[in-house]
Amino acid sequence: MKKQVKTAAVLFLLACVSMTSCNTSKKDNNNNMIEKVSFGKLPDGQETELYTLKNASGMEVKISNFGGTVVSWTAPNNKGVYEDVILGCDSVAGYVKGVPYFGALIGRFGNRIANGKFTLEGKEYTLAQNNGVNALHGGLKGFDKVLWTATPIEGEEPALKLTYTAKDGEEGYPGNLSVEVVYTLQKDNALKIDYKATTDKTTIINLTNHTYFNLNGNLDSDILEHEVTLNADKFLPVDKTLIPTGELKPVTGNVFDFLKSKKISAGINDTTDTQIKAGGGYDHCWVLTDSTKTLKSAATVYEPKSGRVLEVLTTEPAIQFYAGNFLNGTIKGKNGIIYKHRSGLCLETQHYPDSPNKPAFPSTVLKPNETYQTTTVYKFSVK
């Protein structure tokens, strides 16, 4: 009998080792947990993984090693009910099929580069024109479409380290770029994202995260009644292809003024504003009033029905506020929900778009003897 039990135990362990779908989890003394399950296979047969970070208060953040994607994120409303507050897909197949960067890590260069070209140290580089005539979010296969190496980190707060090396010439960019991103779910219901990178050749870099938030908890609704504050006294006007003109325009006296909290609906459909017409709504980069590299508050979002509050803190000089203008009801997301026009908003902390072609903008150049380091925190609370 003992021999049979022992044999069964060995077979079970071997099965778990051979099956990527076998659940594994780690739990510390503070009831923080990291769990890993299969997230499905890529077309080339590679297995993807889904990691769940859970803190003691009950918040859960699910992250895939495919694209470093934040797949789901539960946050409590003012009645203590936890609900998923971000757009996404049920499995990796949805992301492979094609979605507008739901929850993904963006790189090597977030946002747009005009005409898919830039010059660095006297040499011109050509990128894929994957957004009209412009390059967008790292190219045809940016960091959102690669398989990262994931390592759970034990400690007082659950964390997941993701690493990836982009090869010299990948998507047209110079230099072997070694990237490390650490997601940490903190005790205070904040998700901290630490970005770090080094290169062996002078290159450009602008990393961010492209999570779509809907604080209502009902992903079938729009975000127009969300109230937004942006701690930014200027924004970057754009041309008809959404490339910055180079001007830093004060927000005072126009619909881009979010220095005081206001509903998104208050200005997003103002077709008398040429910039609203250019972006089809809000899809612009705001220049933070505090442009230092210290961690400071960049934005706050409040959803009145649920009472949820999202604060964004960052070491970056700017934030792209995008109100889901290009969502059009053609994407089926989690639980079969069809994502309608403006059903999610993005707050992408970053350097300015098209910086490599705008010498007056803060530099996005990274040299071999330097280390790129930025931090962004998304913190939830209620009122």
Side-chain angles (χ1 to χ4, degrees), residues 27 85 162 239 269 283:
K27 190 173 184 179
V85 293
L162 298 170
D239 64 19
N269 294 316
D283 189 9

Side-chain angles (χ1 to χ4, degrees), residues 42 48 63-70 92 95-96 99 101-111 127 130 136-149 162-181 183 193-199 203-210 366 372:
L42 297 176
T48 63
I63 302 165
S64 175
N65 63 334
F66 179 73
T69 302
V70 183
V92 74
Y95 296 94
V96 171
V99 293
Y101 306 99
F102 288 163
L105 290 177
I106 302 298
R108 172 174 319 195
F109 196 94
N111 220 313
L127 312 172
N130 62 326
L136 177 66
H137 292 334
L140 297 173
K141 189 179 180 181
F143 290 176
D144 62 295
K145 296 182 180 68
V146 301
L147 200 59
W148 294 69
T149 298
L162 298 170
T163 57
Y164 177 72
T165 298
K167 295 181 181 179
D168 183 22
E170 187 173 309
E171 288 297 321
Y173 294 95
N176 292 297
L177 184 74
S178 297
V179 184
E180 176 185 294
V181 179
Y183 288 104
I193 310 176
D194 291 305
Y195 304 88
K196 185 177 179 180
T198 56
T199 182
T203 190
I204 59 172
I205 184 171
N206 192 24
L207 304 182
T208 190
N209 178 276
H210 209 293
L366 180 67
Y372 171 93

Side-chain angles (χ1 to χ4, degrees), residues 11 30 76 91 95 101 109 112 121 126 135 178 186 204 206 223-224 232 263 291 306 308 333 338 340 370 373 378:
L11 290 173
N30 299 310
S91 70
Y95 296 94
Y101 306 99
F109 196 94
R112 294 172 175 85
E121 296 183 334
T126 300
S178 297
Q186 299 179 320
I204 59 172
N206 192 24
I223 44 79
L224 294 178
K263 293 181 179 181
S291 60
S306 68
R308 289 187 179 94
I338 302 297
K340 301 173 183 176
E370 299 172 338
Q373 283 185 300
Y378 294 94

Side-chain angles (χ1 to χ4, degrees), residues 28 30-35 52-61 157-158 185:
D28 63 20
N30 299 310
N31 291 318
N32 299 314
M33 180 179 287
I34 303 175
E35 181 184 54
T52 300
L53 308 184
K54 184 175 181 179
N55 65 12
S57 69
M59 175 171 280
E60 291 187 1
V61 180
E157 298 171 318
L185 181 55

Side-chain angles (χ1 to χ4, degrees), residues 198-261:
T198 56
T199 182
D200 63 358
K201 184 187 294 186
T202 302
T203 190
I204 59 172
I205 184 171
N206 192 24
L207 304 182
T208 190
N209 178 276
H210 209 293
T211 294
Y212 286 69
F213 294 96
N214 186 325
L215 305 192
N216 194 349
N218 174 13
L219 303 182
D220 196 28
S221 63
D222 64 46
I223 44 79
L224 294 178
E225 297 307 296
H226 285 47
E227 299 175 13
V228 174
T229 305
L230 299 175
N231 299 323
D233 54 8
K234 298 180 182 67
F235 79 101
L236 303 182
V238 294
D239 64 19
K240 62 182 180 180
T241 70
L242 300 182
I243 292 293
T245 63
E247 177 188 5
L248 276 65
K249 185 175 181 178
V251 299
T252 306
N254 58 63
V255 297
F256 289 83
D257 187 350
F258 284 91
L259 287 168
K260 292 183 178 179
S261 179

Side-chain angles (χ1 to χ4, degrees), residues 3 10 36 43 63 69 104 116 132 181 185 213 220 238 240 245 281 286 289 293 302 322-323 367 377:
K3 184 177 181 180
V10 170
K36 180 181 78 171
I63 302 165
T69 302
V181 179
L185 181 55
F213 294 96
D220 196 28
V238 294
K240 62 182 180 180
T245 63
W286 271 257
T289 305
K293 294 182 180 180
Y302 169 59
Y322 169 57
K367 297 183 178 181
V377 177

Side-chain angles (χ1 to χ4, degrees), residues 355-376:
S355 289
N357 295 313
K358 302 284 194 301
F361 285 2
S363 175
T364 53
V365 174
L366 180 67
K367 297 183 178 181
N369 61 343
E370 299 172 338
T371 299
Y372 171 93
Q373 283 185 300
T374 71
T375 296
T376 293

